[in-house]
Amino acid sequence: MNSNENTNQLANENTGKISFAVGIAGILLCVVGYLKDPEQFIHSYLVAYMFWVTICLGALFFTLMHHLTGAVWSTVLRHILDAIMSTIPLMAILWIPIGFGIHDLYHWSHASAVAHDALLQAKAPYLNTTFFVVRTLIYFIIWSFLSIKLIKLSRSAVTHADLDRMRKVSAIGTVLFALTFSFAMFDWLMSLDPHWYSTIYGVYLFGGAYLNAFVIIVLIVFLLKKSNILDGIVTEEHYQDLGKFMFGFIVFWAYISASQYFLIWYGNIPEETIWYKHRWVGSWKTVSLTLVFVGFVLPFIILMFRSVKRNLTFLTAISLLIFAAHYLDMFWNVMPGVQHHGAHFSWMDISTFLAISGIVFGFIWRSLVNHPIYPSKDPFIQKSIAFKNF
Amino acid sequence: MNILNKKPIRSSDTASVSPGSMYEEVPLITGNQTFSSVTEKICSIVENDPPKMWYVLFGISLSLLLMLVGSVGYLIWEGTGIWGLNNPVGWGWAIVNFVFWVGIGHAGTLISAVLYLFRQKWRTSINRFAEAMTIFAVICALLFPTIHVGRIWVLYWFFPIPNQMEMWPNFRSPLLWDVFAVSIYFTVSLLFWYVGLVPDLATLRDRAKTKARRVLFGILSLGWRGGNRHWRHYELGYLILAGLSTPLVLSVHSVVSTDFATSIIPGWHTTIFPPYFVAGAIFSGFAMVMTLAIIARKAFGMEDFITIGHLEKMAKIIMVTGLMVGYAYSMEFFIAWYSGNEYEKFTFINRAFGNYAWGYWIMVSCNVLIPQFFWSRKMRTNVTVLFILSIFVNIGMWFERFVIIVSSLSRDYIPSSWDYYSPTIWDISVFLGSFGLFFTLFLLFIRFLPMISMTEVKGVLPQADPHHDMYHNSGDK
């Protein structure tokens, strides 16, 4: 099947339009929310924003790994990854509300708070508004450069030399990604509680980000398959590999979060344990335990079965579960800083989620529609389509 | 016989690939090997007298091993006071060596289990001796906590054995978790290695010229006849063991890292320790595999099996894991500053500029700076460079553990108790002796067992593909 026919078929679909409509409705609700309670709004917004930005960056990392390892099984998925990555510049624009909400989100940004706090004074060379914004700018310049460059190369790649070029970008890109991603997570999430610190924090967020790159691919493949696109191209062999990676990175995410929790619990130093203490108050206890169960135990058991990994419907259901866990993870990272007595969900959590999801997914879909759905001219495409697990 | 001896046909569909590209399809095994030439080449090492060099190396290793036996004997007689330990540095070279050797082992498990699950076929040439290396490295590692206990005759107190004293090990202590983690690791690694050996042992049995060899390899090969059902069970068992070994790659060194990280000593207590130790373990292990592979391929003329392609791939893994270790160093340093905690800050500044700064900079140069040479393909494909750099990494990773353990302990919370640790002759003799133990076992292994998996190497030959030309026109030569 010609890959251009696929896209024509996609153009008749309403998915993109629906997505944008949901996004715009969400934005309108957000405006109402902002006028009503700006502090609640900006925290809900940060949760939804972190949910999507980590997924887009996870897709970038997936692409880097794909090229760096010379993987063939994922070649058929490369243009889907391109579509997800193409929203990284958009994520820079969506960051602007966080920049404006800096005083509501980050305690350290208040000069009066710093004046009475020796620790914040010590951290001021790093945690100050100007440097914070400059750093964010640097992160997005690097990520946008990498994603735009890789997408451009990916869409025109026909020879081995093209693949080599992408691999070279990916080698440098991986090093840049590791540093920028970690510091971005320190800045945007860890500094919500400016006294608290953890060396593994960047790796922890990375675990969830990379995991959810696999998840969103499964969801997109599910939607495409519903319109009979990619039939015979992305097969159950590819589902199984996606499922295996999901299983692997569920364990990785759990391993990293358990390492962080366990060492802090065992060390029992108040300046570290306070972060978990906030997440063990009142109904936060339930949220914490739910996260362990939904984020690790349940998908871990279910994904062990080969038949689940090879069935797209099952795999999609599990993907939605992991998606929900990822949202909860972000919620659990952001909210306890302001909700000291227990978790409560606001309608603004939904409206900010709809707004960002609608817009981001709309753009992902638009990119899928406007470009070939799989790299039909790639030198390894036949091998990738015919790929079999052992 | 015609089929078995048929030479493979070179594929020419890679013409568009420029030389040096990763996508260039280089054959994994060179020299136009056939099934029978593989068997012949690998078995000949085991069946014939070893080269003179082997005796020389074995002599040196055995002497070092004897030195170890003597030193350990004296240590047990006299006590751990013969080491340079002091207060506050209660853990010196012995624990450094323990972590060093456990780390070495990890590459073997990664190659045999993780690369297997990732369908990396190039692992077939190196997995056998890498797994052997794992087992011997873990034996060396276990030696150190064993002799460090001082009263070795009550070693069984490690294990939760019901006894009339109603005395139990402290389950909350990471040192006890080490006992479980490392012994499980040893057991699974041994099983995995042995299961992989079974078909090759049967080959040795079938080729045996003396009755003793026939009986010995007959027992060890567990009645393997290479039947269809045997292979099916074998493949399934191997896959399951690979799955079971994979979490062990992470868990063992994570548990080892908790020996330090669960304490509240600055420089030890930091959340990145578990994955950081795992990355360092794989890094050091691959360096050791590289060192051994380069020696073995040279000594036994194995260049067709362990090709420059294999070495290049290992160099890439060394570079990646080296970068991970560098990432951990920088995160530790940054967070030590960011924490605003004066003890954390002091520890890291002391590491870089204090009494053990020399160790710190050896560590950084060997582990972070030197592997950067591997960005260049020229360097990755130069055997001499690879050999020298792999030695540097081995040295660097030993110093990493030294820096972590000793620099933090020697400068604890109370300046009045600060002290400087220097090794005594006994620290050095036990450490060098552990290399004797390792190399004695390793040399015996390559002398008596096939150091490369014949069955797996045959599986990656072009003839192993059922669509290979020779099965379709087997008439012509």
Side-chain angles (χ1 to χ4, degrees):
Chain A
M1 199 192 282
N2 188 319
S3 58
N4 288 330
E5 283 171 31
N6 285 331
T7 45
N8 293 338
Q9 225 171 312
L10 264 187
N12 301 328
E13 283 273 320
N14 287 327
T15 314
K17 285 176 204 150
I18 296 169
S19 186
F20 278 124
V22 168
I24 288 163
I27 290 174
L28 292 176
L29 283 172
C30 284
V31 173
V32 178
Y34 176 73
L35 295 173
K36 249 189 110 201
D37 184 352
E39 202 187 331
Q40 172 67 47
F41 161 76
I42 197 67
H43 281 90
S44 299
Y45 186 86
L46 183 66
V47 174
Y49 179 80
M50 289 313 300
F51 176 84
W52 276 104
V53 80
T54 47
I55 290 174
C56 295
L57 292 173
L60 172 60
F61 189 76
F62 189 158
T63 312
L64 295 173
M65 286 301 106
H66 169 82
H67 295 307
L68 207 53
T69 57
V72 168
W73 73 273
S74 44
T75 300
V76 287
L77 305 171
R78 205 175 69 211
H79 282 348
I80 299 178
L81 285 164
D82 292 342
I84 306 168
M85 285 198 302
S86 71
T87 55
I88 286 178
L90 172 70
M91 294 315 297
I93 296 166
L94 291 176
W95 188 84
I96 291 170
I98 295 170
F100 281 109
I102 192 164
H103 291 305
D104 281 327
L105 286 166
Y106 303 103
H107 175 62
W108 50 261
S109 67
H110 297 273
S112 56
V114 177
H116 299 105
D117 192 325
L119 267 179
L120 290 187
Q121 282 162 20
K123 294 178 190 204
Y126 184 80
L127 289 183
N128 62 71
T129 314
T130 319
F131 193 25
F132 181 78
V133 175
V134 169
R135 280 198 306 272
T136 301
L137 216 61
I138 294 171
Y139 306 148
F140 275 111
I141 288 170
I142 291 174
W143 296 335
S144 304
F145 168 78
L146 284 175
S147 55
I148 291 169
K149 180 96 188 157
L150 287 169
I151 292 169
K152 215 175 129 206
L153 287 169
S154 161
R155 284 182 180 151
S156 61
V158 282
T159 63
H160 292 87
D162 296 332
L163 297 183
D164 273 332
R165 225 162 284 139
M166 290 195 272
R167 186 168 57 91
K168 288 205 172 102
V169 175
S170 301
I172 307 287
T174 307
V175 177
L176 291 173
F177 180 90
L179 292 173
T180 48
F181 184 87
S182 308
F183 281 102
M185 296 307 131
F186 290 163
D187 290 355
W188 300 341
L189 288 180
M190 198 168 86
S191 81
L192 284 167
D193 184 347
H195 289 173
W196 187 77
Y197 55 89
S198 168
T199 41
I200 209 176
Y201 197 73
V203 186
Y204 159 59
L205 266 298
F206 159 76
Y210 196 30
L211 165 65
N212 282 275
F214 296 98
V215 170
I216 191 164
I217 288 172
V218 171
L219 296 177
I220 289 174
V221 169
F222 179 80
L223 289 174
L224 292 174
K225 282 268 180 166
K226 259 188 26 189
S227 325
N228 298 323
I229 295 163
L230 291 176
D231 272 348
I233 306 290
V234 178
T235 65
E236 54 186 16
E237 304 291 340
H238 299 98
Y239 308 155
Q240 194 186 347
D241 258 19
L242 286 167
K244 283 187 210 165
F245 269 106
M246 269 155 69
F247 178 81
F249 278 89
I250 283 164
V251 178
F252 182 78
W253 173 83
Y255 161 66
I256 298 294
S257 17
S259 298
Q260 176 173 281
Y261 173 75
F262 176 75
L263 292 176
I264 288 176
W265 169 78
Y266 202 113
N268 205 13
I269 302 172
E271 64 179 335
E272 292 178 350
T273 50
I274 186 73
W275 198 79
Y276 284 102
K277 184 97 175 120
H278 285 320
R279 282 152 185 79
W280 206 244
V281 174
S283 51
W284 278 115
K285 203 170 174 173
T286 320
V287 176
S288 301
L289 292 172
T290 310
L291 186 58
V292 174
F293 193 73
V294 180
F296 173 64
V297 180
L298 211 56
F300 175 81
I301 294 169
I302 298 171
L303 275 175
M304 242 191 266
F305 297 96
R306 186 170 185 268
S307 49
V308 173
K309 286 181 286 221
R310 292 175 74 89
N311 180 318
L312 188 57
T313 316
F314 280 149
L315 199 60
T316 306
I318 268 294
S319 297
L320 287 172
L321 187 76
I322 301 170
F323 232 37
H326 186 51
Y327 183 85
L328 198 62
D329 190 17
M330 296 302 115
F331 188 83
W332 182 81
N333 268 281
V334 171
M335 290 299 189
V338 277
Q339 301 175 0
H340 293 300
H341 304 291
H344 64 86
F345 291 87
S346 152
W347 61 271
M348 274 183 255
D349 295 326
I350 299 167
S351 65
T352 50
F353 182 75
L354 291 180
I356 298 183
S357 305
I359 299 296
V360 173
F361 196 78
F363 274 100
I364 292 175
W365 201 258
R366 208 186 62 143
S367 172
L368 285 171
V369 172
N370 291 344
H371 299 279
I373 204 81
Y374 71 94
S376 54
K377 294 189 185 71
D378 187 282
F380 289 114
I381 190 66
Q382 287 312 323
K383 231 173 148 183
S384 182
I385 292 170
F387 148 79
K388 290 250 184 307
N389 280 278
F390 20 59
Chain B
M1 279 315 289
N2 192 19
I3 287 179
L4 293 183
N5 284 321
K6 180 119 185 179
K7 302 271 192 239
I9 293 151
R10 285 289 179 87
S11 63
S12 54
D13 59 2
T14 55
S16 67
V17 185
S18 56
S21 162
M22 190 171 72
Y23 302 98
E24 187 187 10
E25 281 192 38
V26 189
L28 287 173
I29 308 294
T30 55
N32 284 351
Q33 305 290 338
T34 62
F35 290 150
S36 68
S37 74
V38 168
T39 310
E40 208 49 59
K41 175 78 197 168
I42 296 172
C43 285
S44 67
I45 298 168
V46 181
E47 289 165 347
N48 300 327
D49 279 342
K52 264 201 198 82
M53 201 56 195
W54 186 89
Y55 288 103
V56 175
L57 291 174
F58 190 70
I60 298 170
S61 307
L62 205 60
S63 317
L64 286 173
L65 176 59
L66 282 175
M67 182 172 85
L68 176 74
V69 173
S71 308
V72 168
Y74 181 61
L75 176 90
I76 292 169
W77 179 259
E78 196 65 27
T80 46
I82 65 169
W83 284 336
L85 302 175
N86 58 36
N87 198 353
V89 188
W91 277 0
W93 275 33
I95 302 300
V96 175
N97 299 339
F98 164 67
V99 183
F100 173 75
W101 280 116
V102 179
I104 297 286
H106 278 59
T109 323
L110 185 95
I111 290 166
S112 52
V114 179
L115 294 187
Y116 181 73
L117 295 182
F118 277 97
R119 300 188 286 262
Q120 296 296 308
K121 287 186 174 163
W122 59 276
R123 69 182 263 292
T124 53
S125 296
I126 52 171
N127 71 335
R128 171 68 50 72
F129 72 84
E131 286 173 47
M133 176 197 79
T134 296
I135 292 163
F136 306 143
V138 175
I139 290 174
C140 291
L142 282 171
L143 172 76
F144 288 97
T146 305
I147 58 177
H148 205 300
V149 296
R151 286 179 287 167
I152 200 167
W153 47 93
V154 289
L155 199 65
Y156 65 93
W157 286 2
F158 269 145
F159 302 99
I161 305 165
N163 57 72
Q164 85 287 358
M165 297 178 282
E166 297 211 352
M167 190 181 65
W168 295 93
N170 184 0
F171 288 101
R172 292 181 194 173
S173 163
L175 302 180
L176 182 71
W177 311 336
D178 266 351
V179 175
F180 295 124
V182 180
S183 52
I184 290 170
Y185 183 49
F186 181 74
T187 314
V188 175
S189 302
L190 191 67
L191 271 176
F192 199 25
W193 181 66
Y194 180 64
V195 168
L197 261 170
V198 167
D200 281 4
L201 291 171
T203 306
L204 286 174
R205 171 200 64 195
D206 296 343
R207 290 168 57 96
K209 295 212 170 60
T210 63
K211 179 143 194 225
R213 283 181 78 86
R214 199 159 56 237
V215 172
L216 179 70
F217 286 120
I219 292 169
L220 289 175
S221 59
L222 306 174
W224 178 268
R225 289 186 312 280
N228 207 0
R229 192 183 293 183
H230 283 185
W231 277 111
R232 224 167 65 89
H233 289 166
Y234 169 84
E235 293 283 347
L236 199 62
Y238 201 82
L239 182 63
I240 291 171
L241 277 172
L244 287 175
S245 305
T246 300
L248 285 175
V249 178
L250 293 174
S251 71
V252 179
H253 230 60
S254 298
V255 169
V256 170
S257 81
T258 61
D259 290 348
F260 309 102
T262 54
S263 72
I264 51 167
I265 293 173
W268 286 16
H269 178 70
T270 181
T271 48
I272 208 170
F273 254 40
Y276 155 42
F277 265 49
V278 171
I282 294 164
F283 179 55
S284 68
F286 262 92
M288 189 59 109
V289 175
M290 176 89 89
T291 313
L292 296 174
I294 290 173
I295 298 172
R297 79 198 273 274
K298 185 92 192 146
F300 295 99
M302 283 292 179
E303 281 90 347
D304 282 342
F305 293 89
I306 305 169
T307 64
I308 198 74
H310 290 100
L311 298 178
E312 193 195 351
K313 289 188 176 83
M314 285 193 261
K316 284 182 184 170
I317 295 185
I318 290 178
M319 190 174 91
V320 169
T321 45
L323 286 168
M324 288 184 193
V325 169
Y327 170 89
Y329 295 163
S330 17
M331 283 305 139
E332 276 190 316
F333 229 105
F334 171 71
I335 294 289
W337 174 81
Y338 176 89
S339 71
N341 180 319
E342 54 183 306
Y343 298 102
E344 289 283 339
K345 251 191 262 182
F346 169 81
T347 299
F348 281 89
I349 289 168
N350 181 54
R351 267 187 196 175
F353 306 107
N355 49 348
Y356 286 106
W358 53 273
Y360 183 82
W361 294 108
I362 291 175
M363 167 186 103
V364 170
S365 321
C366 292
N367 295 348
V368 184
L369 302 180
I370 286 177
Q372 303 309 320
F373 280 112
F374 288 154
W375 285 95
S376 145
R377 188 181 146 84
K378 250 204 192 104
M379 296 290 174
R380 290 198 306 264
T381 50
N382 182 329
V383 180
T384 321
V385 171
L386 288 173
F387 187 73
I388 295 170
L389 294 200
S390 74
I391 302 279
F392 270 118
V393 173
N394 282 318
I395 295 172
M397 282 309 291
W398 188 86
F399 271 95
E400 180 193 296
R401 279 64 173 251
F402 178 80
V403 167
I404 292 172
I405 294 173
V406 175
S407 81
S408 278
L409 285 177
S410 76
R411 291 284 178 272
D412 66 357
Y413 290 104
I414 311 165
S416 64
S417 70
W418 289 358
D419 207 347
Y420 193 82
Y421 165 90
S422 321
T424 64
I425 185 89
W426 300 107
D427 284 293
I428 298 164
S429 71
V430 174
F431 177 51
L432 290 181
S434 68
F435 277 95
L437 173 62
F438 179 79
F439 279 104
T440 304
L441 290 168
F442 195 79
L443 287 164
L444 286 173
F445 156 73
I446 52 178
R447 172 73 189 83
F448 292 107
L449 289 169
M451 67 164 151
I452 291 176
S453 171
M454 291 182 276
T455 38
E456 290 198 45
V457 162
K458 287 174 193 170
V460 299
L461 288 181
Q463 300 96 307
D465 185 346
H467 301 296
H468 190 259
D469 290 352
M470 72 179 188
Y471 299 108
H472 298 299
N473 37 7
S474 51
D476 62 29
K477 196 107 182 86

